[in-house]
Amino acid sequence: IDIWARDLDATARAVEQAGERLQGILALRLGAALTTEYLARCSAQFVTTVFWQPQAAGAQALSQFLRLRVAASMLSAKRASAAELSAQLQRDGVLEVAGYQLSAALARGLQGLQLSAADLAGRLGDVHCIEIGRRDPLHVSAALEQVVAQLTASGVRATAEALLFVAVWGATEIV
């Protein structure tokens, strides 16, 4: 988690060295929670923030990621539960999931990561939360409504919108 905050610091410094000011941020999925944690640590202030498919809890993201490995294990003779994988991760310090190496340190950081806009009113700027769907009519999910409610309860101006989108990266034919 700290390395991502350092990356944001480095980006902000590079923009300032170019004689500009960082105006906003586009945060994808868990990046929304990382953004609020980052702003809680520094004095940055954005004009606009976009949260695309925001994921508010690192623990939930970690659980979903581990489920990839659980699902893969169902196809083999050596099945594993999420609890067993978590124990293996703590014991070995690293776990391979879908071709990625997940470290125990990253897992611990994700466990404590939570989207929180407390004391960030005015620093996030106008927050636009978007999610994509493939069905018409589109509706904002209950999860996104919760994110927007949390932001507005903290004094942040936030909107939510669902957009129709074809996930071209998952298409098996030319779209």
Side-chain angles (χ1 to χ4, degrees):
I1 302 299
D2 290 334
I3 195 167
W4 290 328
R6 287 192 303 270
D7 287 346
L8 285 170
D9 281 332
T11 300
R13 278 193 309 277
V15 168
E16 288 172 10
Q17 289 171 354
E20 299 293 334
R21 186 176 140 249
L22 195 58
Q23 297 286 316
I25 191 165
L26 168 62
L28 301 163
R29 307 220 11 99
L30 200 53
L34 288 165
T35 298
T36 60
E37 181 165 303
Y38 170 73
L39 286 175
R41 297 180 186 187
C42 71
S43 62
Q45 182 172 342
F46 300 134
V47 175
T48 303
T49 299
V50 177
F51 290 159
W52 182 318
Q53 301 280 124
Q55 210 165 6
Q60 180 184 17
L62 179 61
S63 176
Q64 289 172 347
F65 191 62
L66 288 177
R67 276 189 254 150
L68 290 173
R69 174 78 183 259
V70 170
S73 77
M74 290 179 175
L75 300 174
S76 72
K78 190 176 179 182
R79 294 183 180 209
S81 69
E84 291 168 335
L85 293 174
S86 292
Q88 180 184 345
L89 177 60
Q90 295 311 312
R91 182 184 66 244
D92 299 342
V94 67
L95 182 70
E96 184 274 323
V97 179
Y100 296 96
Q101 297 295 314
L102 174 66
S103 72
L106 177 57
R108 281 189 300 276
L110 289 174
Q111 286 289 352
L113 186 63
Q114 188 72 34
L115 188 146
S116 174
D119 303 321
L120 296 180
R123 297 195 43 226
L124 282 167
D126 292 333
V127 177
H128 306 283
C129 299
I130 58 175
E131 61 187 4
I132 56 174
R134 294 190 281 171
R135 293 191 179 97
D136 199 17
L138 291 172
H139 302 284
V140 172
S141 69
L144 187 59
E145 287 176 353
Q146 277 186 317
V147 168
V148 170
Q150 180 184 358
L151 292 167
T152 56
S154 297
V156 175
R157 288 194 332 203
T159 60
E161 185 175 2
L163 304 172
L164 185 62
F165 184 76
V166 176
V168 295
W169 52 84
T172 57
E173 58 190 55
I174 298 175
V175 288

